[in-house]
Amino acid sequence: MEQAEPKTGLPIYRNAFDWDALMREYPLPDVFAETVYRWPAQRVRELQNARFLRIVEVGWRNAFYRRRWHAVGLEPGDIHSLEDIVKLPPYTSDDVKESLEHDPPYGDYHGLDPSMAARMPLKLQTSGGTTGTPRATLFDPAAWEVQALTGARALYIQGARPGDVMQIPMTCSLANAPWLAYKACHDFLGILPLTTGSGIVTSTRQQLETAFRYRTNLWQSFPEYLVRLAQACTDELGRDVRDLKTRFVRTYLGPDVDGSLRRELEDRWGCPVYDAYGTNEIAAAAFECRERSGLHFMEDTVFMEVVDVDTGKPVAPGERGNLVATVFFRTLPPVIRYNLRDLGRVLSAERCGCGSHFRRMDHFLGRSDAMVKLRGVNVYPMACLPAIKSDPRTTGEWICVVERVQAGGVPRDEMEVHAEVRRDAATREGLKEGLERRLKDDMGVAVTVRLVDEGALEALANTGGREGKARRLLDRRPAYHRGSSR
Ligand SMILES: [Zn+2]
């Protein structure tokens, strides 16, 4: 008798899930662009409804959700359709952190049976930690593939094609974005990814030399670094970055309320710039198509809601509120009504010029937990941006410092906006007063401005082209006085 070949007992990645079934459920970029992406709104909604009911079943098997849902009197079977989603209590990163700290390192939030880790390949990613302890999120193989696929679909719709070369000057670390970009190009699009890492790994000059050598025609990076690359191209290589003939740049414009950041990047690079929004929990949840008129939600992988910051109730269409996400492709951990505390609003549910009915949201409008109540007025540090940019003598960098002061024996909160002034500004005359006037107009409450030298905020506000988001709020009040919007 012939001896049977020995079979592996190892948890091999390619055996971990049914690839074909997964790709039928979440179509590949070119198939997606011709099918689900163009479906009528009603058909998309029906798909979301079915996926939502399935993920609620997963939620009931998870201790974290079961505990929270029982606490509001829900029982399995109480949720009948997507209309009922409002009955499920949203949670925030604070709840996740509590779960992780209570039962480290993954908490009951992950629903991880300890033996599972030895039976299945897992990947750990964390949030950037700009707002405290990094949030850990595990990826099972199917989730790891779908999250990369979301990025690949966005790139395809933006016009990326096999044979392109994408440079990714971001470090593949516990941060998710560069992994997503790498996998999207490599695994799903036939695009050559150049994973050069951040400017610390590969100097800015080497980044540019690499780009010219290998004919990079697509980029994904943070806006601050893209500005620096363009400038260094002129200063250090004596060339125009436009000589690269970049087709497009993918980045995170953040709260670019007046579009000035996009204009600057498009002008320097000579190509379209596409905005993106996502986190490691929700993947590439929203992206711009070539129309650049709002970010389409990736409707078949995530259901996004906008809820009132104070009441948590869904807001009317077009109103600003917190983004709440329910992810369809994740089970470890499930993500069901995650209140991201990122401000957003739905711009349109109408058919876009690109042919899709996928709803579009405005660019990211800032963090709601960075909101400060000043004399009864809700103030968002991000709302300072148009004022700061309104005077060309500033560098465009600022940070809001909030302190509790005693005014005639009565405590009150005061905000001082530190604004950087360009080294080459001929005079500072009228600058402080002008900014204060504009800030009062924009925010509805008076704040003082302190002018600081160019570069003075680099460490404090995390500016200067380093990785991670810039910080716009420094809260110096005693902890118990802080806003209760969390
Ligand atoms: Zn579109």
Side-chain angles (χ1 to χ4, degrees), residues 37 157 288-294 296 352-356 360:
Y37 189 57
I157 284 164
E288 283 186 317
C289 67
R290 285 193 249 187
E291 300 286 319
R292 283 172 285 168
S293 58
H296 285 286
C352 174
C354 72
S356 180
R360 277 167 285 154

Side-chain angles (χ1 to χ4, degrees), residues 10 36 205 265 410 420 455 459:
L10 298 173
V36 191
R205 187 192 178 97
L265 288 173
V410 185
E420 272 189 11

Side-chain angles (χ1 to χ4, degrees), residues 312-379:
K313 299 259 186 300
V315 300
E319 301 257 308
R320 166 203 295 242
N322 275 329
L323 293 167
V324 172
T326 296
V327 178
F328 298 136
F329 65 89
R330 277 190 159 287
T331 56
L332 182 78
V335 174
I336 307 170
R337 293 208 91 205
Y338 176 32
N339 183 347
L340 292 138
R341 292 186 294 198
D342 281 343
L343 293 165
R345 67 190 176 109
V346 172
L347 281 179
S348 174
E350 301 298 309
R351 187 170 178 271
C352 174
C354 72
S356 180
H357 283 93
F358 279 21
R359 292 171 300 154
R360 277 167 285 154
M361 73 166 207
D362 206 344
H363 50 76
F364 164 66
L365 298 168
R367 293 278 306 163
S368 71
D369 56 358
M371 185 183 83
V372 180
K373 259 198 204 311
L374 287 181
R375 305 186 276 289
V377 179
N378 288 350
V379 172

